[in-house]
Amino acid sequence: METVLKSARQRHDSLAKQFNELRAGSMGMGQKLADLSASVDELLEKHVELEMQDSESRLYSRASKMVDLGADVDELMQECDLPKAEAELLLNLRKRQAANQQR
């Protein structure tokens, strides 16, 4: 009977040790998953920012091409949704660039 009891205690100790190792491992994995989730959230936020910047740059590229083709302030405001001040600024900049290239 003592042998059976001793064997049961050893088995219990072994299982308790394995359980503690599994628990520690799962806690570590939980932390790694939380870190990965935070990284994914950060990457998604940066992706959205880049998409917004890209669409803005495309808008200004389009407006710049329109100026090269002879568009006026009103056309830039209407077609590219630019405020009047930005449309005027873009027109003036492109005119200056053209004048500098002719020199």
Side-chain angles (χ1 to χ4, degrees), residues 45-85:
E45 187 176 313
K46 287 181 181 180
H47 178 72
V48 169
E49 287 176 17
L50 287 174
E51 281 182 337
M52 289 175 63
Q53 289 175 357
D54 189 42
S55 66
E56 288 176 5
S57 68
R58 278 188 266 158
L59 177 72
Y60 286 110
S61 294
R62 180 174 179 226
S64 181
K65 287 178 186 175
M66 288 178 64
V67 169
D68 291 341
L69 295 172
D72 62 10
V73 172
D74 292 328
E75 288 175 311
L76 292 175
M77 290 171 53
Q78 185 177 15
E79 293 295 321
C80 299
D81 293 327
L82 292 176
K84 185 175 183 176

Side-chain angles (χ1 to χ4, degrees), residues 4-20:
V4 172
L5 183 59
K6 185 178 179 182
S7 176
R9 283 186 184 158
Q10 288 176 345
R11 181 76 176 137
H12 176 269
D13 291 344
S14 174
L15 290 173
K17 184 178 177 182
Q18 288 177 9
F19 174 76
N20 287 333

Side-chain angles (χ1 to χ4, degrees), residues 85-102:
E86 286 185 23
E88 290 173 344
L89 177 63
L90 185 59
L91 261 171
N92 290 333
L93 287 172
R94 296 302 281 179
K95 285 179 183 177
R96 282 188 185 170
Q97 285 177 345
N100 286 340
Q101 288 177 354
Q102 290 178 355

